Amino acid sequence: MATLLRRGRFSLGWLLVLFGLFFTAGRAQAASQELTLVNSNPDQSTSFVFKGWLVDDEAKLADLNKQTSEELDQSSQAVFQEKMAAGQSQLKLSLSPGRYYIRELTKPGVTVQPILLTLPTNSSNQQTVYLKTEATTGQVQLTKLGYDSKTSKGKALSGVSFYLYQEGTSLPLRVDALGKLSTDDRDSRLLLTDKNGLIKVTGLPAGNYYFVEQATVSPYVKNSSPQRFTVKAGQTAYVTVKNYRPTVPTNPDEPTVPKKSSSSSSSSSSSSSSRPKVPTNPQKPNVPATSSSSSKKGGLLPQTGEVFSWLAILLGSLLVLTGLIMAAKSRRRK
């Protein structure tokens, strides 16, 4: 009889153990829920790695986004880390009820927005979450410096205007008031450097770009050379543009005039005395007066000396002629 009782107790104990195991497994299966992450636009070349943490019920998404993965490992309980292969559109997870924060770790040129969700105990055993993805963009920071000379230190120039172009396009890009790339036609294409000489543009897809300066500030010369750069996903490109003053000096030195010494003044006086004096009131040369008869028609009359010489010749000729006549008459008488 005692043996039967002992055997009955033994069998009852095993039944209780089996019932307990069955009940525990059933409760665990009932408590476990299936979470499915869905990527609506799978890429054959892009894979993702997701990690989930069990966080407090009061946790906020903005605060969790500020923490690194290492910080989350210390402040929260890491529950899973699973890979969604390239081209795969779904990732199924089996999780217990609770509040979960899920983040993509690799950032392969595509940004997956982090997820914060709660799996309640009394909800359906299946829950589906669609991932929100967007191409990871980059940004650029331009610094504008002015130089008074080639060796001077540059200073930030504010109010310098630029256009930003993407390689292969002819129109400048638009940027909103917050400095983000925009497609709103109300936003300006003209960019101005701030008080620190900076222009920052965010939301740029990976690619090649260039700045073109439109106008600078006085007295610097505009730098018209295109400033090219490359934007990579999740990175910042840095561009520095330099302006210089004109090469012609703005304040040339005046020529120095040597002071006059006593020796130079004496030499100058001597040299001036050796020079011929120019008469202040020069006299006109004496011109012989002409008689009124000389101005008559027929030419000028001979001068007094000339008259006497002509009379002597005429008188001599008459004497010779008279002598010849007298000699001829005397011959005839003989």
Side-chain angles (χ1 to χ4, degrees):
M1 185 68 181
T3 303
L4 291 174
L5 289 173
R6 285 196 298 272
R7 289 180 179 179
R9 290 174 182 175
F10 180 78
S11 300
L12 181 60
W14 277 108
L15 287 174
L16 291 174
V17 170
L18 292 174
F19 181 77
L21 291 174
F22 177 78
F23 179 79
T24 302
R27 292 293 297 174
Q29 184 175 3
S32 178
Q33 297 189 31
E34 184 178 275
L35 175 64
T36 302
L37 303 180
V38 178
N39 182 12
S40 301
N41 300 305
D43 189 347
Q44 298 296 327
S45 61
T46 304
S47 60
F48 302 96
V49 175
F50 293 94
K51 188 172 183 176
W53 291 266
L54 186 63
V55 298
D56 297 334
D57 292 341
E58 302 299 326
K60 296 181 179 180
L61 182 61
D63 297 333
L64 295 171
N65 287 340
K66 296 178 182 178
Q67 300 184 44
T68 64
S69 298
E70 292 75 13
E71 291 172 342
L72 288 171
D73 289 339
Q74 296 177 1
S75 61
S76 305
Q77 178 185 353
V79 179
F80 68 88
Q81 182 171 322
E82 299 290 341
K83 180 178 181 180
M84 180 183 288
Q88 184 179 347
S89 61
Q90 294 184 356
L91 177 62
K92 293 185 178 182
L93 304 168
S94 182
L95 302 173
S96 300
R99 190 167 177 80
Y100 292 90
Y101 174 71
I102 303 174
R103 173 188 290 179
E104 204 285 318
L105 300 180
T106 58
K107 298 181 180 180
V110 177
T111 299
V112 180
Q113 294 185 4
I115 303 168
L116 182 62
L117 55 85
T118 299
L119 298 178
T121 304
N122 56 357
S123 67
S124 173
N125 291 338
Q126 293 184 354
Q127 189 167 344
T128 302
V129 175
Y130 290 89
L131 302 174
K132 294 181 179 180
T133 62
E134 61 180 7
T136 303
T137 59
Q139 58 185 6
V140 62
Q141 176 177 299
L142 179 144
T143 303
K144 185 65 176 178
L145 298 176
Y147 293 82
D148 294 336
S149 65
K150 295 291 184 179
T151 58
S152 64
K153 184 178 180 181
K155 60 181 179 181
L157 299 181
S158 63
V160 182
S161 58
F162 286 86
Y163 280 147
L164 173 59
Y165 295 86
Q166 187 172 13
E167 290 284 0
T169 62
S170 58
L171 290 177
L173 301 176
R174 296 184 184 274
V175 178
D176 63 19
L178 299 177
K180 187 175 182 180
L181 184 67
S182 173
T183 56
D184 191 337
D185 59 3
R186 295 172 296 181
D187 291 324
S188 176
R189 301 181 189 271
L190 192 66
L191 310 177
L192 297 177
T193 55
D194 60 15
K195 63 180 181 180
N196 298 317
L198 302 178
I199 292 177
K200 297 180 181 179
V201 182
T202 62
L204 296 175
N208 297 319
Y209 300 82
Y210 61 93
F211 283 104
V212 177
E213 185 174 322
Q214 300 302 305
T216 188
V217 294
S218 179
Y220 299 96
V221 179
K222 184 176 75 172
N223 187 342
S224 301
S225 302
Q227 307 296 320
R228 289 181 164 81
F229 60 95
T230 299
V231 171
K232 296 182 179 179
Q235 299 184 16
T236 301
Y238 294 93
V239 179
T240 300
V241 184
K242 300 179 181 180
N243 286 74
Y244 294 92
R245 284 176 176 265
T247 55
V248 178
T250 55
N251 295 317
D253 296 334
E254 295 182 357
T256 57
V257 179
K259 296 181 179 179
K260 293 183 179 180
S261 61
S262 58
S263 59
S264 62
S265 61
S266 60
S267 61
S268 63
S269 61
S270 61
S271 61
S272 61
S273 61
S274 61
R275 294 178 183 176
K277 294 183 178 180
V278 180
T280 56
N281 296 316
Q283 296 180 355
K284 296 182 179 180
N286 294 326
V287 179
T290 57
S291 62
S292 58
S293 59
S294 62
S295 59
K296 294 181 179 180
K297 190 175 180 181
L300 294 175
L301 294 175
Q303 300 297 324
T304 305
E306 293 179 355
V307 171
F308 285 112
S309 60
W310 278 106
L311 289 175
I313 295 172
L314 180 61
L315 182 59
S317 300
L318 290 175
L319 291 175
V320 172
L321 181 61
T322 303
L324 291 175
I325 294 173
M326 292 177 66
K329 286 181 177 181
S330 64
R331 281 183 181 182
R332 289 177 182 177
R333 289 176 181 174
K334 290 177 177 183

